Amino acid sequence: MRKTFTGLVLAILALSVPGDELKLQNPSFEQGAGGYWISKPAAAKIDTETSAAGLQSLLLDLPANTKVSVVQGVEYRPDAVYRFSFESKSSGEAPMLTLGIMLQNKKPIAFWTPAGKSKADFAFTPADKWGRREFVFGPIPPKFLGQDVGKVMLFIDAVSGAQPGKVWLDGLAGDITVTDAAAAVSLPA
């Protein structure tokens, strides 16, 4: 099953036209936290002492057993594969980072996980040095739970364990590649 899914993803990418840059607001936090919704703003600080890209980064200083979401909306394109990445590093008891994909119309619909993937495929624990993590997902269905999809909300969730922890985010980037969905669907497995 995994081999078939991997082959399908590679076939879709092979049939793709060059990607457009994913339009992200303030991807290196140079304008503070502008452009982001942060679930617990008191845990988020702009750090001018360290960055992977630009002059500053976003520091999430999490108390024990806490979840903080850093969220930004991006455009929805049918028949597109999204490539999204960011730099991160941690200190102390490293919080787990997870990318959540919320589909939305005028109001949120629900979190979506691509077929053949699990939440664990979008989770990792950052190291104590800056490192880039990339996620590839899509195509996103035009309808989800009976509602038209109009926007994609990217949730970077930081979750601490029994001990407090710190994690930095910086250098968000990505692209959207429109695929030939009809050709991709008809490929032999």
Side-chain angles (χ1 to χ4, degrees):
M1 173 77 176
R2 185 178 179 116
K3 191 174 185 180
T4 302
F5 179 76
T6 302
L8 180 60
V9 168
L10 291 174
I12 288 171
L13 291 174
L15 293 168
S16 301
V17 296
D20 293 330
E21 184 178 343
L22 188 62
K23 292 179 179 96
L24 297 165
Q25 296 179 27
N26 192 18
S28 290
F29 303 98
E30 299 306 303
Q31 288 83 43
Y36 297 88
W37 177 79
I38 300 174
S39 63
K40 292 184 173 69
K45 300 172 180 99
I46 295 301
D47 189 337
T48 58
E49 301 295 317
T50 184
S51 69
L55 301 174
Q56 51 197 32
S57 61
L58 181 68
L59 165 62
L60 301 176
D61 192 352
L62 283 78
N65 302 309
T66 301
K67 175 181 173 181
V68 175
S69 298
V70 177
V71 184
Q72 187 166 137
V74 297
E75 70 178 303
Y76 166 71
R77 285 202 206 163
D79 300 324
V81 172
Y82 291 72
R83 185 179 310 273
F84 175 68
S85 66
F86 58 90
E87 299 272 356
S88 63
K89 75 172 190 168
S90 66
S91 176
E93 187 74 25
M96 172 77 67
L97 289 178
T98 305
L99 177 66
I101 305 161
M102 168 71 76
L103 304 183
Q104 177 172 317
N105 192 320
K106 291 180 181 163
K107 294 183 177 181
I109 299 171
F111 281 99
W112 173 77
T113 303
K117 296 275 188 179
S118 72
K119 284 180 145 182
D121 293 321
F122 293 89
F124 71 101
T125 302
D128 62 354
K129 293 183 171 56
W130 286 108
R132 180 162 291 279
R133 185 64 145 218
E134 181 176 85
F135 302 92
V136 178
F137 55 92
I140 295 171
K143 283 190 174 281
F144 191 64
L145 299 178
Q147 296 183 50
D148 291 333
V149 175
K151 191 170 192 176
V152 178
M153 303 299 288
L154 301 175
F155 279 66
I156 301 173
D157 294 328
V159 181
S160 61
Q163 299 296 317
K166 293 182 180 183
V167 64
W168 287 262
L169 304 174
D170 203 2
L172 283 68
D175 63 58
I176 303 173
T177 304
V178 178
T179 63
D180 182 346
V185 169
S186 66
L187 287 173

